[in-house]
Amino acid sequence: MPSVHGNALGILMFMVCALPALVGGLFLRLPDPIVMGFVGIALVAMDMVVRIRNRKQTGWVMKKDLGGYLYFIPVWIFGIFVIILNIVNALSPLNL
């Protein structure tokens, strides 16, 4: 089984984002791009709240020990990637 490299905060942020995905996708039956867009927004918001609280330190936006991260990427970058990917998905004619 592959190991996940990151800090506990980053992994916890991804676990917390399962809740909006569960509620939006399973209970409310919203389309996947909308649900995953909210997951991306939640990831960005959670990580930025933690990082803004530490903004007096240098490198607060990208530093690994000042917010959540997986591998070498901060959680907020994953969130932006999820948002962009689902906007493209919603606007594509194939609507994958």
Side-chain angles (χ1 to χ4, degrees), residues 45-63:
M46 283 188 290
D47 196 34
M48 280 297 137
V49 165
V50 173
R51 288 179 187 278
I52 286 173
R53 293 182 66 183
N54 296 311
R55 70 183 174 274
K56 292 183 179 173
Q57 297 184 26
T58 58
W60 63 273
V61 175
M62 296 294 286
K63 210 167 187 184

Side-chain angles (χ1 to χ4, degrees), residues 5-12 64-71 75:
H5 299 282
N7 60 4
L9 181 60
I11 294 169
L12 180 66
K64 291 199 288 190
D65 58 343
L66 297 180
Y69 78 95
L70 291 177
Y71 294 99
V75 170

